[in-house]
Amino acid sequence: MLQSMRQNTKTVLWIVIAAFVGLIFAVWGADLRGTSGSQPGYVIGEVNGRSLTVDDFERAFNEETAAYRGSAEEDLPLLPSVARLLRERAWQRLVHTAIVEGALKKASIPISDEEIVYTIRSNPPEFLRMNEAFLTNGRFDYQKYREAIDDPTVDWRWLEQYVREQLPLGHLRQRVAINARVTEGELRDLYVQNNETVDFSFVAFLPSEYEDAAVSASPAEMNAYYEAHREEFRVPDRATLGYVALPVLPSDEDRAYLRSRMEEMLQRLSEGTPFEDLARYHSEGPTAKQGGAIGSFRRGDLTPDLDELAFSLPAGGTSGVIEGPRSFQIVQVVERTGSGAAESVGLRQILMNVEAGGETVESVRLAAEDLRTRAASGGLRGAAEATGIVYRETSPFEEGVVVPGLGAFRGANLFAFAGRIGEIGEPIFHDETYYVLEVVSRDTSHVEPFEAVSTSLRERVLREKRLALARADAERFRAEAERSDLPSLARKVGREIRRADLVSRAGSVPTIGRDSRLILAAFAAPGGSTFGPVDTDFGAFYLVREKVTPIDEERYVAEKAYFIRSLLAERQEYLFAQWLQSEREKAKIKDMRPALSEMEEG
């Protein structure tokens, strides 16, 4: 088979798959055998006697940089603080790669051609399983894959090489994670937890219904609750940013330039160029590919000014340049139909957006750079106030989340946790705005002091008491529940009957939330009769289980292989990570980067 796989390639498939292979290798930093330390350059470290060179390090750093920039929509400059973080990640990657290389060399795992063939045919890499070319209804189709593998016109040598290089690593992972197991019982339990469902009706006694009850929270009670639940008041690392936003707005010159372009369109139209051709090649509207056709409109469908203009033109007539705050357009009436209230016009348009030109963008960038320079001596707030620019600060936020006031701004979040306190970063362009950022403060994870959470403590103690009232109220009707149906009980207690359908053990109850105790009680309750009270952290409940829908056995069998592979991979990853950490603790690691930096500075 290997010989039949070594035929001429289909170029397109090669390019698509090679991109996936590049991604896979990036996970490990590079082809493991390509970082043997034999490259020329300074030695910047050692791991168990294996040299790590500047070339190794720069390659790993470039990969970390590409990963940092690759998923971001904004143009992220490599701030000094971010560069420090990425260089540290690159170093850690090199150390881990060297440890794995050493283990592979020591293990000396032989790989035969037969094993390569078997792996390619029976256990294709995950990136091939996810390739659209091999999917049917969103799932991997072995038949499609086998047909491609057996196609003699496709060159699969790259896959052979990839598998030959990855199999030793796979064997090493299997040896390390040899105790990883997924039993039939575990698999079925997990599947049942997520796919078996229950339908039930219930009556709820909720703490919120007792807001007017005469309950209080004494200092002693609040302190007792605080001591018993200290970890609930732990806050993660949080940072605060100061920032100045300099929006990049089109200038008068930018609008004048766009006006000249639109007038050029009018000139070309007067010379006989078809409107649809100009729209197709120059319009920035959503229907440019359709020659700018935007549909038919009756009177009142358009904005008042455009409505008046469109209905004043004859069929085939063209407007002048219509200027708006964000775009300029030229419209042409393709046809007119009907009359009176039923009259309509078919329109085409050439639309161009008003955008800031290069000079405008550069002027704002230079203003941001100037502000940063001024801020170096007196802080960002002072520099902003001195130049009449608004300075703002975020509220504290956690790493990796939306930045208050700035939104999903990855560069700002990363800078907040990588920069030094007081550091002012280089301007970052994001969402048509240049931002100058300053790390104002950063707090490490800690348990909030009693005084800082006293308001929250009071509310929690009061809720606990209201929850106790709800449970006590529900308990008073236990006897009534035992001898009556749920509608009768609901009328007796003056509460509505609520419904929950198709709720899995891992699901959520409508109007209540993810109340696992209530859900488990619904599964366990005898069918058809009133059951309760069920006390949970959400309240107290009486319920009637109506139906349990078991899992679809055929679907379970069809999906079992996927779930086994997924669960086993998770456990193997965990065990491999544990092994890697253990090997790192035992490894002899020399970090010579500081000495090299001193030599370069000297």
Side-chain angles (χ1 to χ4, degrees), residues 100-410:
V100 172
E101 280 185 333
L104 285 172
K105 184 176 181 180
K106 185 177 181 181
S108 185
I109 301 172
I111 301 297
S112 66
D113 285 354
E114 290 75 14
E115 184 177 7
I116 293 172
V117 171
Y118 176 81
T119 300
I120 290 174
R121 294 187 64 85
S122 304
N123 189 26
E126 191 64 24
F127 63 84
L128 286 182
R129 292 176 181 273
M130 300 300 294
N131 192 312
E132 290 185 4
F134 305 129
L135 298 182
T136 299
N137 296 325
R139 300 186 66 82
F140 180 68
D141 189 327
Y142 268 104
Q143 186 61 33
K144 286 183 179 179
Y145 175 70
R146 287 289 183 88
E147 290 175 359
I149 286 295
D150 292 335
D151 186 346
T153 66
V154 179
D155 184 356
W156 291 101
R157 284 177 295 180
W158 65 267
L159 182 57
E160 174 192 338
Q161 183 64 24
Y162 173 78
V163 171
R164 188 181 297 278
E165 292 171 347
Q166 291 297 302
L167 273 175
L169 178 59
H171 284 307
L172 176 64
R173 294 167 74 89
Q174 289 176 0
R175 290 184 185 184
V176 169
I178 193 170
N179 293 323
R181 295 286 187 275
V182 177
T183 67
E184 173 67 24
E186 290 174 323
L187 183 66
R188 187 176 184 86
D189 286 347
L190 181 62
Y191 194 84
V192 167
Q193 180 181 357
N194 286 278
N195 293 276
E196 188 175 59
T197 62
V198 62
D199 299 352
F200 63 100
S201 300
F202 62 97
V203 171
F205 295 76
L206 305 176
S208 58
E209 298 168 354
Y210 298 83
E211 294 289 342
D212 297 331
V215 293
S216 61
S218 69
E221 290 171 324
M222 293 166 59
N223 188 67
Y225 187 97
Y226 178 73
E227 293 299 330
H229 302 83
R230 287 179 63 87
E231 284 303 309
E232 294 180 14
F233 298 99
R234 179 174 293 281
V235 295
D237 292 353
R238 295 190 298 183
T240 300
L241 284 178
Y243 67 94
V244 168
L246 301 176
V248 178
L249 302 174
S251 66
D252 291 342
E253 289 77 10
D254 296 324
R255 295 182 67 86
Y257 171 72
L258 182 60
R259 188 179 302 110
S260 69
R261 289 192 62 197
M262 297 298 283
E263 290 171 350
E264 180 185 344
M265 296 298 107
L266 289 175
Q267 178 63 32
R268 295 180 65 179
L269 287 170
S270 69
E271 295 170 355
T273 304
F275 190 100
E276 54 269 36
D277 287 351
L278 290 175
R280 188 173 291 113
Y281 293 107
H282 297 283
S283 177
E284 297 172 357
T287 61
K289 291 183 178 179
Q290 290 75 47
I294 56 176
S296 295
F297 304 89
R298 290 188 175 185
R299 288 187 182 274
D301 289 347
L302 304 167
T303 61
D305 291 344
L306 185 56
D307 192 90
E308 181 179 352
L309 174 63
F311 282 92
S312 69
L313 293 171
T318 302
S319 73
V321 178
I322 305 169
E323 298 189 18
R326 295 190 173 186
S327 63
F328 289 7
Q329 67 182 144
I330 300 170
V331 297
Q332 181 184 64
V333 176
V334 180
E335 61 178 355
R336 298 180 68 112
T337 59
S339 61
E343 184 180 15
S344 65
V345 292
L347 300 178
R348 296 182 186 274
Q349 72 168 358
I350 298 173
L351 181 142
M352 293 186 183
N353 296 315
V354 180
E355 297 178 341
E359 291 185 1
T360 302
V361 175
E362 179 64 7
S363 67
V364 178
R365 188 191 69 80
L366 291 174
E369 288 281 9
D370 180 66
L371 179 64
R372 177 177 182 252
T373 301
R374 293 170 181 267
S377 58
L380 185 58
R381 180 193 294 274
E385 292 176 350
T387 51
I389 303 175
V390 176
Y391 168 89
R392 296 183 176 91
E393 285 187 5
T394 69
S395 56
F397 58 92
E398 300 170 19
E399 189 170 6
V401 304
V402 169
V403 180
L406 298 179
F409 190 172
R410 180 169 173 259

Side-chain angles (χ1 to χ4, degrees), residues 377-442:
S377 58
L380 185 58
R381 180 193 294 274
E385 292 176 350
T387 51
I389 303 175
V390 176
Y391 168 89
R392 296 183 176 91
E393 285 187 5
T394 69
S395 56
F397 58 92
E398 300 170 19
E399 189 170 6
V401 304
V402 169
V403 180
L406 298 179
F409 190 172
R410 180 169 173 259
N413 190 289
L414 186 56
F415 173 68
F417 291 91
R420 297 183 297 271
I421 304 301
E423 181 175 352
I424 299 170
E426 296 177 13
I428 300 180
F429 186 68
H430 169 74
D431 196 21
E432 302 303 318
T433 302
Y434 271 104
Y435 288 90
V436 182
L437 308 172
E438 179 180 26
V439 181
V440 175
S441 64
R442 191 161 53 240

Side-chain angles (χ1 to χ4, degrees), residues 548-599:
V548 172
T549 303
I551 63 172
D552 183 327
E553 294 292 342
E554 291 185 1
R555 184 177 177 184
Y556 170 64
V557 172
E559 296 180 348
K560 183 189 296 187
Y562 170 79
F563 282 106
I564 289 176
R565 188 168 62 251
S566 178
L567 283 174
L568 190 59
E570 287 181 11
R571 295 187 179 183
Q572 288 175 338
E573 287 290 338
Y574 174 73
L575 291 174
F576 192 80
Q578 283 190 318
W579 169 83
L580 189 57
Q581 180 61 30
S582 174
E583 291 298 305
R584 183 189 176 95
E585 292 172 356
K586 294 184 293 184
K588 296 179 180 179
I589 301 172
K590 293 182 181 180
D591 185 356
M592 306 176 191
R593 290 177 297 162
L596 180 61
S597 297
E598 291 174 5
M599 289 172 57

